Amino acid sequence: MKKTWKKVAALILVTAVSVSAAGCGSSSANKTVPGNTQASGEKSAGGTSGSGEYKDTLTWAQGADITSLDPHQGKETTAVQVTKHIFDTLTVVNPETGVLEPSLAESWEQTSDTSYVFKLRQDVKFHDGSQMTAEDVKFSLDRAIKSAAVSYIVDFIDTVNAVDEYTVEITLDAPYAPALRNLSVPFAAIVPKKAVEQDEEGFKLHPIGSGPYKFADWKQGDSARLEAFDEYWGTPAATRNLVMRVIPEASQRTIALETGEVDLAYDILPNDMAKIDDNPKLTLFEAPSLSCYYISMNMNKVPFDSAKVREALNYAIDRQTLIDTIACGAGQPADAIIAPLVFGYYSPGAYEYNPEKAKELLAEAGYPDGFTTSIWVNDNQARVEICQAIQAMLQDVGITCNVEVMEFGSFISRTSAGEHDMGYFGWVTSTTDADYTYYSLEHSSQQGAAGNRSFINDPEVDKLIETGRSSADEQVRRKAYEDLAVKLKEIGNNAPIYYSSITAGASAKVENFVIDPIGYHKLDQVKVAK
């Protein structure tokens, strides 16, 4: 048994969390794969009570609260899991097929390399009763472009022109291959111009969209409630009310599911997957995700301004042990910041676990006895456990690393400000295109809130990212991302740890739930039998 694993086990036992092989078992008989609408196996997510009657409220639990109800600010998954039901976008990606489909735009035409014309639906009302028009689309996209938090998703746009009441022309500043997919990301949501202009601060607390549900209330740190919108332009919501419960501890989310306190629970603790899978009253959903978990090293701070130190840290981490123990096998070691299912993925070669090499590099960097640092992580149980295990591994090479746990909103704001030494993050490539992640996390213009929390500023990296996002030639894009993956491994500003599986647990009475590999689960057609 490895010395590192002994320390990992000791740390986890101290926190009373079992990581034994037996605790990680799962029959996987009822797991889903992308494209399935329900779990396979004998039990089904489409089971009913036989009465044909359904509850008027569906309650789900997630690990953290909404960061902002404003879609042009709240880009974190925990915010989008709520706001996705309130707002619509011009286009949408089908979570089962991955195919781009119309939404608020009923059709579109690419009229040149840098121009798209969208025909809007004429039957769309916002929750305040006003009609959606081209002016709302122009206002919304212009607003998103100005937002420091989400501009990266739409800043390929040069101008938005309302041609007539229901026609919009979007002109790009250069050819941009992922344009239509970027417009499907929830941060490109369409909001009512008049309502926002009249009271923007009020809008942030009482959002108005055109989605299947309208906002009812939000008890910060506890819950949020949505009500079905009777004048929704699309298929009416299947359940009258949606309630989101904030339950930070994954084990408590599982308990809430078992007791019937909630109907759905997101991000199941690996140790609890078998428990749900073996319970005939519950259904486990699992699928490969588009997420990568990684450590971001702040290059503006000593000693992470040293390439040798960053390389040493990469060699010091036993990624497979983290997956086999903390994640109970639910994932694979990461060798790049984007997942293998993402367009543009290229493997630059995985870091082997080599603590002796790490010590050599530290000595070469001027730290033969190591140094003291910290890693910040938000208050998510699984993430904290990963950081505790990494803490033990770094200790093996002489690095004393304090794990600092903080509330999610504070974690995001303080790392955006660059206060951290290291931060442990999860990032999902929401568009399934490499540009979404590489531009956000690695381009020098995106430092801080937009995503670049390593504060990398490298002209060669910027050039490769710009080539990948501007070329219409798929082969040119692939080559740019191949070179970029190799270059980023040399720099080592972010240490990719693992690609996760995405999980959810449901009551067997839940029908029509589709797991979204991005994590933006849509619930408007989900219902729960009494």
Side-chain angles (χ1 to χ4, degrees):
M1 183 175 286
K2 298 174 184 175
K3 179 181 177 184
T4 296
W5 166 233
K6 290 178 181 178
K7 289 190 176 183
V8 173
L11 273 172
I12 302 306
L13 285 172
V14 166
T15 59
V17 179
S18 170
V19 294
S20 67
C24 292
S26 176
S27 67
S28 74
N30 302 299
K31 296 177 183 176
T32 58
V33 295
N36 284 6
T37 57
Q38 63 182 42
S40 59
E42 293 183 1
K43 38 177 192 169
S44 164
T48 68
S49 64
S51 66
E53 297 181 355
Y54 296 93
K55 295 167 61 175
D56 65 0
T57 300
L58 183 156
T59 302
W60 86 90
Q62 59 186 47
D65 200 5
I66 303 162
T67 51
S68 174
L69 288 163
D70 185 337
H72 300 148
Q73 293 293 327
K75 66 180 180 179
E76 290 75 28
T77 298
T78 53
V80 176
Q81 284 169 340
V82 175
T83 59
K84 184 180 178 78
H85 300 91
I86 301 172
F87 300 97
D88 291 316
T89 48
L90 290 177
T91 61
V92 66
V93 174
N94 187 311
E96 296 182 81
T97 65
V99 174
L100 192 74
E101 297 177 350
S103 183
L104 294 182
E106 62 182 8
S107 66
W108 55 84
E109 178 185 3
Q110 184 172 2
T111 55
S112 74
D113 286 347
T114 57
S115 181
Y116 292 82
V117 175
F118 294 85
K119 293 293 183 182
L120 305 179
R121 297 185 186 276
Q122 299 186 24
D123 58 347
V124 178
K125 285 188 177 182
F126 289 111
H127 301 154
D128 62 357
S130 62
Q131 194 83 10
M132 184 202 72
T133 69
E135 288 295 333
D136 297 303
V137 174
K138 172 177 170 52
F139 172 80
S140 299
L141 295 180
D142 286 345
R143 184 174 186 260
I145 291 169
K146 294 175 184 175
S147 168
V150 305
S151 62
Y152 65 91
I153 201 67
V154 285
D155 65 1
F156 59 88
I157 296 174
D158 183 28
T159 60
V160 183
N161 179 34
V163 178
D164 59 38
E165 195 171 15
Y166 296 105
T167 306
V168 173
E169 181 180 30
I170 296 178
T171 304
L172 317 187
D173 54 19
Y176 182 63
L180 292 172
R181 285 188 176 267
N182 278 38
L183 292 173
S184 75
V185 174
F187 328 142
I190 306 305
V191 301
K193 176 183 178 181
K194 184 177 179 180
V196 176
E197 287 184 330
Q198 283 181 343
D199 186 3
E200 187 165 17
E201 292 307 309
F203 171 82
K204 292 177 180 179
L205 294 175
H206 300 278
I208 299 169
S210 63
Y213 285 91
K214 58 184 180 181
F215 174 76
D217 60 64
W218 176 27
K219 298 176 182 177
Q220 294 189 28
D222 179 74
S223 61
R225 184 169 59 89
L226 309 178
E227 296 176 357
F229 179 44
D230 293 332
E231 296 182 84
Y232 180 55
W233 59 269
T235 305
T239 301
R240 186 67 192 170
N241 305 295
L242 296 182
V243 174
M244 181 277 289
R245 287 278 314 281
V246 179
I247 304 179
E249 291 190 9
S251 59
Q252 292 301 313
R253 292 198 294 277
T254 298
I255 291 171
L257 186 64
E258 291 174 320
T259 61
E261 183 181 341
V262 300
D263 305 299
L264 277 166
Y266 297 161
D267 302 322
I268 300 302
L269 192 69
N271 284 348
D272 286 344
M273 289 168 63
K275 185 187 300 185
I276 292 174
D277 205 25
D278 293 337
N279 189 331
K281 295 182 179 180
L282 304 178
T283 305
L284 173 68
F285 290 83
E286 183 185 14
S289 78
L290 300 176
S291 296
C292 178
Y293 287 93
Y294 64 99
I295 294 172
S296 193
M297 290 169 270
N298 189 341
M299 295 176 68
N300 287 339
K301 285 194 171 184
V302 177
F304 299 108
D305 56 342
S306 166
K308 288 186 182 293
V309 168
R310 298 192 299 268
E311 186 179 10
L313 188 135
N314 269 291
Y315 277 113
I317 298 172
D318 187 345
R319 291 161 173 81
Q320 191 62 56
T321 290
L322 294 175
I323 294 166
D324 291 344
T325 56
I326 314 299
C328 294
Q332 66 184 88
D335 50 11
I337 205 71
I338 59 173
L341 294 176
V342 173
F343 171 83
Y345 167 79
Y346 175 79
S347 172
Y351 273 102
E352 63 179 10
Y353 172 56
N354 191 334
E356 294 307 314
K357 177 70 172 176
K359 291 176 183 177
E360 291 174 11
L361 288 165
L362 288 173
E364 291 173 13
Y367 298 96
D369 300 319
F371 55 87
T372 298
T373 187
S374 64
I375 184 167
W376 289 7
V377 60
N378 73 289
D379 52 354
N380 173 288
Q381 183 178 348
R383 296 187 186 194
V384 171
E385 290 172 15
I386 288 283
C387 288
Q388 289 171 335
I390 290 172
Q391 177 186 44
M393 294 172 183
L394 295 182
Q395 186 64 51
D396 276 352
V397 300
I399 299 174
T400 299
C401 180
N402 300 312
V403 176
E404 297 187 24
V405 182
M406 57 189 68
E407 180 271 329
F408 191 57
S410 177
F411 171 73
I412 292 297
S413 63
R414 294 185 66 186
T415 54
S416 295
E419 297 177 25
H420 60 295
D421 295 336
M422 296 187 289
Y424 185 70
F425 297 92
W427 184 271
V428 57
T429 307
S430 302
T431 62
T432 71
D433 189 284
D435 175 72
Y436 177 86
T437 294
Y438 281 140
Y439 184 63
S440 305
L441 302 188
E442 310 286 4
H443 197 277
S444 61
S445 68
Q446 302 301 296
Q447 294 182 6
N452 178 357
R453 294 183 175 92
S454 70
F455 297 89
I456 183 174
N457 185 353
D458 186 281
E460 185 178 345
V461 167
D462 286 354
K463 184 178 179 180
L464 289 168
I465 292 171
E466 289 158 12
T467 298
R469 73 190 330 244
S470 63
S471 176
D473 187 324
E474 184 175 304
Q475 293 309 311
V476 171
R477 299 188 74 215
R478 287 189 184 277
K479 181 62 167 65
Y481 292 137
E482 177 181 332
D483 293 344
L484 180 59
V486 172
K487 179 65 176 177
L488 288 172
K489 185 180 180 184
E490 292 174 1
I491 295 171
N493 56 309
N494 290 317
I497 303 300
Y498 79 106
Y499 305 122
S500 66
S501 295
I502 194 160
T503 58
S507 162
K509 295 181 179 181
V510 169
E511 300 183 18
N512 303 327
F513 176 74
V514 178
I515 194 165
D516 185 340
I518 298 173
Y520 302 158
H521 311 303
K522 197 78 181 288
L523 303 176
D524 58 297
Q525 294 307 304
V526 179
K527 51 189 178 180
V528 186
K530 287 185 176 180

